[in-house]
């Protein structure tokens, strides 16, 4: 399949790219990010978009299947896989984009998610040491963060939803509309993850101590009502027939035996739960890498493992530290997502893509626990001379003119 096949395909791809620059610059201002940094993040993410294009054209991938299916004819709207197909179909019919143009549109979604992720990390590290701020920047520029969210597929939209949810969690009471947008985007591509987001928001609004009783009841009731409607829908989409224990266990056992083909397959059915969670988040390790892509992922995983160890240690040493972000919401969503995905994903290749639906949240939680807030040093007045001490004692101001009686 060709990236472009007409002059309009080339023009539309260029227009999408430059429109993305304008949108990224505007969004950067909303996130408090300078234009230079915003455009640097966009350029970095676009670089991986081009690499992703080359990869799927060379080795194949879901992105090609999405585009071919969308080019084949109209599809009824539905969430999940066909949500991506439906959106891609709208791009083809409405803008006449080629495969490259569609890639650049999804790249814009992922770039906005990266921008929100970067802005959130800068907020929680702005009063920390320069080393921690540099570590936050290093994490944002990890290849795994940008690669999977740079192409046609669910990952670009789910990463955008995660980034918006992360930014909203820094001031959850005032950014409820933003978290609603994040849930709607996640619902389009992964309804079961949207249900987890809703459960996290419900717990945060109901148990947050700074919320008035009336506001807690109102917001909590709305969140619980939405959760009651969407969580069963998400479970049904994931393949769980009913929300009872037996059905959930049957679903987990069935998922542990799927996707066992390919070099990334691992047998998680015989692992303990802690080992399943470790495998999902931190493997492949460097000695398990069998290709240049696996090696890059392994290096990223080692950085995440270091952050996890050091951040966990810092939280244990300072359990009473106060934080700006709504950690109840973030921990609720991240742990539920990690638990469910870690127990049901038996392929490291799939895990490398899907873990970025909650890993940015874990990164912020751990990074914000590291280091100490720098104290603002107030300027001190120079010591008074003996003459000035006398003036001060008798209330005399040297510059004041003496009045005649």
């Amino acid at each position: 399949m060709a990236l472009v096949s007409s002059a309009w395909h080339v023009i539309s791809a260029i227009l999408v790219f430059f429109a993305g620059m304008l949108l990224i610059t505007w969004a950067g201002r909303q996130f408090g990010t300078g234009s230079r940094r915003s455009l640097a993040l966009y350029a970095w993410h676009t670089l991986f978009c081009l690499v992703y294009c080359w990869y799927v054209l060379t080795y194949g991938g879901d992105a090609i299947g999405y585009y071919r299916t969308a080019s084949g004819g109209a599809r009824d709207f539905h969430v999940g896989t066909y949500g991506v197909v439906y959106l891609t179909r709208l791009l083809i019919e409405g803008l006449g984009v080629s495969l490259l143009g569609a890639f650049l549109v999804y790249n814009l979604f992922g770039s906005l998610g990266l921008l929100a992720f970067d802005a959130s990390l800068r907020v929680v590290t702005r009063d920390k040491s320069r080393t921690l701020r540099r570590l936050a920047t290093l994490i944002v520029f990890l290849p795994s963060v940008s690669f999977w969210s740079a192409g046609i597929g669910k990952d670009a939209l789910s990463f955008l939803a995660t980034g918006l949810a992360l930014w909203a969690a820094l001031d959850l009471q005032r950014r409820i509309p933003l978290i609603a947008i994040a849930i709607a985007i996640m619902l389009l591509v992964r309804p079961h993850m949207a249900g987890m987001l809703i459960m996290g928001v419900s717990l945060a609004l109901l148990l947050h101590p700074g919320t008035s009783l009336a506001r807690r009841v109102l917001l909590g009731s709305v969140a619980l009502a939405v959760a009651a409607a969407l969580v069963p829908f998400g479970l049904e989409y994931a393949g769980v027939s009913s929300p009872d224990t037996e059905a959930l266990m049957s679903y987990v056992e069935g998922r542990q035996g799927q996707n066992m083909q390919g070099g990334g397959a691992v047998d998680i059915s015989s692992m303990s739960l802690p080992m399943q969670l470790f495998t999902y988040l931190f493997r492949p390790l460097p000695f398990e890498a069998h290709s240049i892509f696996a090696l890059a992922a392994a290096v990223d995983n080692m950085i995440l493992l270091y952050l996890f160890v050091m951040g966990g240690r810092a939280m244990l040493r300072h359990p009473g530290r106060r934080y700006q972000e709504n950690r109840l919401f973030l921990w609720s969503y991240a742990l539920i997502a990690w638990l469910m995905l870690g127990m049901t994903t038996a392929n490291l290749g799939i895990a490398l893509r899907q873990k970025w639906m909650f890993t940015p949240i874990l990164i912020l939680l751990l990074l914000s626990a590291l280091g100490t807030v720098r104290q603002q040093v107030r300027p001190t007045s120079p010591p008074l001379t003996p003459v000035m001490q006398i003036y001060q004692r008798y209330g005399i101001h040297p510059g004041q003119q003496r009045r005649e009686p």
Side-chain angles (χ1 to χ4, degrees):
M1 176 177 288
L3 283 177
V4 293
S5 56
S6 68
W8 171 248
H9 284 168
V10 176
I11 294 172
S12 61
I14 294 174
L15 291 176
V16 168
F17 176 74
F18 282 105
M21 291 179 63
L22 296 176
L23 181 58
I24 285 292
T25 303
W26 173 84
R29 291 197 295 267
Q30 309 308 309
F31 291 127
T33 304
S35 299
R36 184 177 300 178
R37 187 178 181 93
S38 299
L39 292 176
L41 290 170
Y42 183 51
W44 175 257
H45 203 269
T46 304
L47 173 64
F48 283 96
C49 174
L50 299 178
V51 174
Y52 200 173
C53 278
W54 167 82
Y55 180 86
V56 297
L57 287 174
T58 304
Y59 300 102
D62 293 339
I64 299 294
Y66 287 131
Y67 187 82
R68 282 177 174 166
T69 305
S71 302
R75 289 275 179 176
D76 294 334
F77 174 76
H78 196 62
V79 296
T81 297
Y82 285 107
V84 177
V85 173
Y86 186 84
L87 177 58
T88 307
R89 179 66 183 173
L90 292 179
L91 295 175
I92 295 172
E93 291 184 343
L95 300 178
V97 298
S98 63
L99 178 65
L100 176 60
F103 259 88
L104 289 173
V105 172
Y106 280 87
N107 168 67
L108 179 57
F109 297 148
S111 297
L112 290 170
L114 184 66
L115 187 62
F117 180 34
D118 174 68
S120 301
L121 292 189
R122 286 190 301 106
V123 167
V124 300
T125 59
R126 61 188 171 191
D127 294 325
K128 302 292 183 68
S129 66
R130 180 179 299 179
T131 301
L132 278 180
R133 297 198 303 273
R134 288 178 175 175
L135 177 59
T137 299
L138 173 64
I139 291 172
V140 169
F141 282 94
L142 288 178
S144 294
V145 179
S146 295
F147 183 77
W148 299 108
S149 59
I152 302 173
K154 303 175 185 177
D155 300 298
L157 290 165
S158 61
F159 184 65
L160 171 59
T162 302
L164 295 179
L166 195 58
W167 178 255
L170 298 179
D171 192 358
L172 188 60
Q173 301 296 315
R174 296 183 179 180
R175 296 174 182 171
I176 292 296
L178 188 59
I179 197 68
I181 294 173
I183 291 172
I185 295 173
M186 189 70 82
L187 180 64
L188 174 65
V189 291
R190 291 196 168 103
H192 55 299
M193 301 303 297
M196 297 178 194
L197 273 175
I198 293 171
M199 287 190 286
V201 172
S202 302
L203 288 174
L205 294 178
L206 287 173
L207 302 179
H208 193 273
T211 308
S212 64
L213 180 60
R215 185 178 177 85
R216 188 181 304 178
V217 171
L218 176 62
L219 295 177
S221 299
V222 172
L224 288 176
V226 175
L230 290 185
V231 170
F233 175 74
L235 291 174
E236 182 180 356
Y237 168 81
V240 182
S241 57
S242 60
D244 56 64
T245 304
E246 183 177 352
L248 288 174
M249 292 304 298
S250 176
Y251 168 76
V252 170
E253 292 174 358
R255 291 287 300 178
Q256 289 178 349
Q258 294 183 6
N259 301 309
M260 292 295 293
Q261 297 81 24
V266 290
D267 181 14
I268 63 172
S269 61
S270 59
M271 296 181 183
S272 63
L273 179 59
M275 192 60 191
Q276 290 175 348
L277 298 179
F278 180 89
T279 297
Y280 185 85
L281 197 58
F282 302 117
R283 291 177 64 186
L285 297 172
F287 62 85
E288 297 176 310
H290 53 81
S291 67
I292 186 64
F293 294 102
L295 181 59
V299 173
D300 292 352
N301 288 339
M302 293 306 297
I303 296 175
L304 294 178
L305 182 58
Y306 167 80
L307 179 61
F308 192 89
V309 172
M310 300 305 294
R313 179 186 173 206
M315 284 189 289
L316 291 176
R317 292 180 61 184
H318 306 285
R321 176 179 291 181
R322 299 178 64 87
Y323 299 94
Q324 173 181 345
E325 65 275 9
N326 191 308
R327 296 175 76 83
L328 179 59
F329 160 61
L330 294 177
W331 276 118
S332 300
Y333 169 69
L335 291 180
I336 293 173
W338 189 11
L339 181 66
M340 292 303 299
L341 294 174
M343 292 172 59
T344 57
T345 306
N347 190 290
L348 297 182
I350 295 176
L352 285 175
R353 299 183 323 180
Q354 293 185 351
K355 72 180 183 181
W356 292 107
M357 293 186 292
F358 69 90
T359 302
I361 292 176
L362 284 178
I363 290 172
L364 183 137
L365 289 167
L366 296 167
L367 196 60
S368 63
L370 289 173
T372 56
V373 177
R374 295 178 297 172
Q375 299 294 328
Q376 298 293 332
V377 180
R378 296 182 178 180
T380 57
S381 302
L384 297 176
T385 63
V387 175
M388 293 300 297
Q389 291 177 3
I390 294 174
Y391 283 162
Q392 187 180 55
R393 180 177 180 181
Y394 292 101
I396 301 173
H397 300 283
Q400 185 178 4
Q401 294 183 356
R402 183 180 177 183
R403 293 183 180 180
E404 296 294 336

